[in-house]
């Protein structure tokens, strides 16, 4: 597990942060059970434990510390055996919607396991866990469990209900929602060995008045670690027209004719609509900038080709080695297809602009570019 292996001062700071935020619960609810918004929980965790925040990356883990991936969750304890959402497969619906119950569940399990492996691969994670904050009347409990892959060969007790299919693999109980395309896992916190900490939350009766007094006294130090200042964000497709990865361009550029090419030579397509609607997002053509990768590495990159239609690394094989070999695990000479991307649940990348000389790249779930196009691109 994670929590008890962290320095004592970080554990104390984490608890302190949670007590502060929990004390403000009456800003949102009159319940005797303290409230904790999941996005705030993610920020507190990463701040206290100096962990990498992965929550914007559409991956299975919300944070990473050293070589451990952490899925962060907060929910009501209830009977301490509640089902909670762990994955969504709406973009993969066509691959399983017409299958029978057993084949459908095996497909969902395959997709789930692939997503966990993909996350661990791109972020160089060796093991993954869930870190959960359970909310009870007047207190928080901290509970941790493994983020297990589903044992596909041991799936059993498949039961169809009107809108769900339940099953287990002799390790965990699962429930798949047919209408929402979401997989839920039972979190059993009745095992006291997995409850690592619990503490009372003193909920303020009038938190707004307390906050006002703090600001009046000029005590304005924020408890949150601010993200790197992101100037702007766009999404780029990893495919071409017709939702197709073309055989001789884009991520298969290495297969194009005309000259001898390295088997890792690729580029990420930049549609004209990106330049038309965000003309100052990227630097000028062939002007170098740093592209920060999800694993923390940085790649010297540039905008290339006529009309600035290509995002490439300075060494035209470095980007391809990272995407095709390190991430997608393709062999040299193996064509990338949209189906391969769909299996991983991705078809786009998110590009965050930090400055004109520094950008960040993260993989994004299926439909991210199309949604961005519909909302922000005029042509």
């Amino acid at each position: 597990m994670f929590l008890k292996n962290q320095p004592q001062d970080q554990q104390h700071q984490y608890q302190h942060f949670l007590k502060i935020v929990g004390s403000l619960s009456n800003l949102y609810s009159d319940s005797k059970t303290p409230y904790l918004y999941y996005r705030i929980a993610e920020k507190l965790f990463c701040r206290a434990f100096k962990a990498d925040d992965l929550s914007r990356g559409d991956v299975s883990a919300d944070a990473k510390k050293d070589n451990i991936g952490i899925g962060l969750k907060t929910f009501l304890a209830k009977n301490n055996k509640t089902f909670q959402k762990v994955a969504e497969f709406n973009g993969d619906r066509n691959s399983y919607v017409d299958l029978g119950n057993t084949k459908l569940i095996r497909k969902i399990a395959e997709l789930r396991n692939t997503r966990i492996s993909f996350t661990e691969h791109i972020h160089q994670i060796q093991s993954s866990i869930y870190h959960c904050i359970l909310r009870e009347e007047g207190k928080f409990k901290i509970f941790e469990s493994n983020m297990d892959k589903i044992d596909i060969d041991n799936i059993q007790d498949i039961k169809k209900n009107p809108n769900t299919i339940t099953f287990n693999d002799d390790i965990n109980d699962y429930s798949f929602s047919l209408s929402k395309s979401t997989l839920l896992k039972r979190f059993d916190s009745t095992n006291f060995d997995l409850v690592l900490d619990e503490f009372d939350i003193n909920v303020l009766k009038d938190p707004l008045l307390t906050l006002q007094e703090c600001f009046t006294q000029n005590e304005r130090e924020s408890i949150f670690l601010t993200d790197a200042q992101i100037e702007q964000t766009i999404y780029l497709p990893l495919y071409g027209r017709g939702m197709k990865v073309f055989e001789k361009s884009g991520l298969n550029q290495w297969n194009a004719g005309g000259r001898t090419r390295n088997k890792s030579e690729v580029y990420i397509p930049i549609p004209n609509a990106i330049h038309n609607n965000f003309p100052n997002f990227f630097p000028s053509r062939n002007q170098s900038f740093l592209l920060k990768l999800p694993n923390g590495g940085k790649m010297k990159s540039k905008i290339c080709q006529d009309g600035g239609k290509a995002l490439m690394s300075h060494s035209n094989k470095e980007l391809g080695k990272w995407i095709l070999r390190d991430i997608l695990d393709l062999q040299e000479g193996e064509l990338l297809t949209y189906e391969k991307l769909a299996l991983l649940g991705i078809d786009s990348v998110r590009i965050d602009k930090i400055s004109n000389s520094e950008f960040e790249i993260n993989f994004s779930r299926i439909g991210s570019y199309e949604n961005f196009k519909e909302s922000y691109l005029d042509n």
Side-chain angles (χ1 to χ4, degrees):
M1 294 298 108
F2 176 85
L3 181 68
K4 293 305 182 182
N5 292 326
Q6 304 312 301
Q8 283 293 322
D9 61 325
Q10 293 184 7
Q11 293 185 47
H12 292 155
Q13 186 178 49
Y14 183 52
Q15 185 181 122
H16 180 61
F17 286 166
L18 288 171
K19 286 181 176 180
I20 291 174
V21 174
S23 73
L24 303 176
S25 296
N26 278 344
L27 285 172
Y28 319 101
S29 169
D30 294 327
S31 171
K32 293 182 180 180
T33 302
Y35 178 78
L36 180 63
Y37 181 54
Y38 74 100
R39 290 297 187 196
I40 295 178
E42 293 167 355
K43 293 291 184 184
L44 295 183
F45 182 93
C46 292
R47 169 66 186 269
F49 296 117
K50 297 179 174 59
D52 297 327
D53 188 347
L54 309 184
S55 61
R56 284 172 53 85
D58 289 334
V59 290
S60 300
D62 300 300
K64 174 193 172 186
K65 178 70 181 287
D66 299 325
N67 58 6
I68 300 175
I70 304 109
L72 300 169
K73 308 195 76 63
T74 175
F75 49 87
L76 293 171
K78 295 184 179 179
N79 66 352
N80 292 300
K81 291 184 178 182
T82 65
F83 280 97
Q84 299 296 324
K85 173 183 169 183
V86 294
E88 180 178 316
F89 302 103
N90 195 53
D92 302 281
R93 189 174 180 82
N94 290 338
S95 70
Y96 63 77
V97 67
D98 295 324
L99 299 178
N101 295 343
T102 299
K103 288 185 177 180
L104 185 152
I105 290 304
R106 288 182 68 89
K107 181 63 176 178
I108 293 301
E110 176 189 346
L111 292 170
R112 169 63 172 164
N113 291 351
T114 300
R115 305 286 171 82
I116 294 176
S117 295
F118 176 70
T119 299
E120 293 179 342
H121 197 46
I122 65 173
H123 290 288
Q124 299 179 347
I125 291 169
Q126 293 184 7
S127 61
S128 300
I129 67 163
Y130 285 109
H131 176 95
C132 309
I133 300 172
L134 281 62
R135 298 184 287 120
E136 292 185 347
E137 183 174 328
K139 69 171 59 177
F140 285 157
K141 287 183 177 179
I142 298 179
F143 162 82
E144 291 182 346
S145 65
N146 292 326
M147 185 185 293
D148 301 303
K149 293 179 181 176
I150 300 174
D151 185 351
I152 296 178
D153 292 333
N154 203 29
I155 290 175
Q156 56 193 336
D157 296 333
I158 299 175
K159 297 177 182 178
K160 172 76 182 300
N161 298 305
N163 193 42
T164 61
I165 301 176
T166 60
F167 66 99
N168 73 75
D169 64 352
D170 211 28
I171 302 172
N172 295 294
D173 296 329
Y174 295 93
S175 176
F176 182 68
S177 170
L178 296 168
S179 61
K180 297 181 179 179
S181 300
T182 54
L183 180 67
L184 295 85
K185 185 183 89 74
R186 188 191 300 278
F187 287 85
D188 186 350
S189 56
T190 58
N191 184 343
F192 294 119
D193 291 337
L194 300 180
V195 178
L196 306 179
D197 198 5
E198 64 176 276
F199 44 88
D200 294 334
I201 300 297
N202 180 24
V203 178
L204 298 170
K205 291 184 178 180
D206 191 347
L208 194 59
L209 180 60
T210 302
L211 289 172
Q212 184 182 38
E213 291 173 352
C214 288
F215 276 87
T216 300
Q217 296 168 12
N218 204 31
E219 296 176 0
R220 306 188 183 196
E221 181 179 355
S222 172
I223 66 171
F224 299 111
L225 179 67
T226 58
D227 293 328
Q229 292 297 314
I230 297 173
E231 292 186 8
Q232 206 167 30
T233 296
I234 64 166
Y235 290 81
L236 298 177
L238 295 175
Y239 52 86
R241 294 187 185 90
M243 309 292 287
K244 182 178 180 181
V245 182
F246 294 119
E247 292 186 1
K248 297 181 183 296
S249 63
L251 294 181
N252 289 322
Q253 171 75 1
W254 57 267
N255 193 42
R259 61 175 171 82
T260 302
R261 299 175 187 271
N262 186 281
K263 291 297 184 181
S264 294
E265 181 180 338
V266 303
Y267 66 86
I268 296 175
I270 305 177
N272 286 335
I274 294 292
H275 292 304
N276 293 339
N277 289 270
F278 299 91
N280 299 315
F281 185 86
F282 287 113
S284 302
R285 179 178 168 182
N286 290 325
Q287 181 178 334
S288 298
F289 56 86
L290 290 178
L291 190 64
K292 184 179 179 182
L293 309 181
N295 62 15
K298 292 185 178 181
M299 184 182 296
K300 192 175 181 181
S301 306
K302 58 185 177 180
I303 304 302
C304 300
Q305 300 192 21
D306 292 341
K309 72 173 186 179
L311 170 57
M312 301 183 71
S313 55
H314 235 269
S315 163
N316 62 12
K317 63 183 180 181
E318 189 177 3
L319 181 63
K321 182 181 180 303
W322 175 60
I323 295 180
L324 300 184
R325 312 288 171 252
D326 298 346
I327 303 304
L328 301 179
D329 200 27
L330 298 179
Q331 300 298 313
E332 287 192 0
E334 181 181 356
L335 289 169
L336 175 64
T337 64
Y338 187 85
E339 288 70 27
K340 174 69 174 180
L341 295 174
L343 180 62
L344 297 171
I346 61 169
D347 70 1
S348 313
V349 290
R350 189 188 77 241
I351 307 293
D352 295 322
K353 181 176 183 177
I354 308 303
S355 69
N356 216 40
S357 60
E358 185 174 0
F359 296 76
E360 294 183 0
I361 183 171
N362 279 283
F363 292 98
S364 293
R365 68 184 64 182
I366 290 174
S368 294
Y369 172 72
E370 298 301 323
N371 291 335
F372 179 73
K373 177 180 178 181
E374 183 178 343
S375 299
Y376 297 103
L377 305 184
D378 294 332
N379 50 57

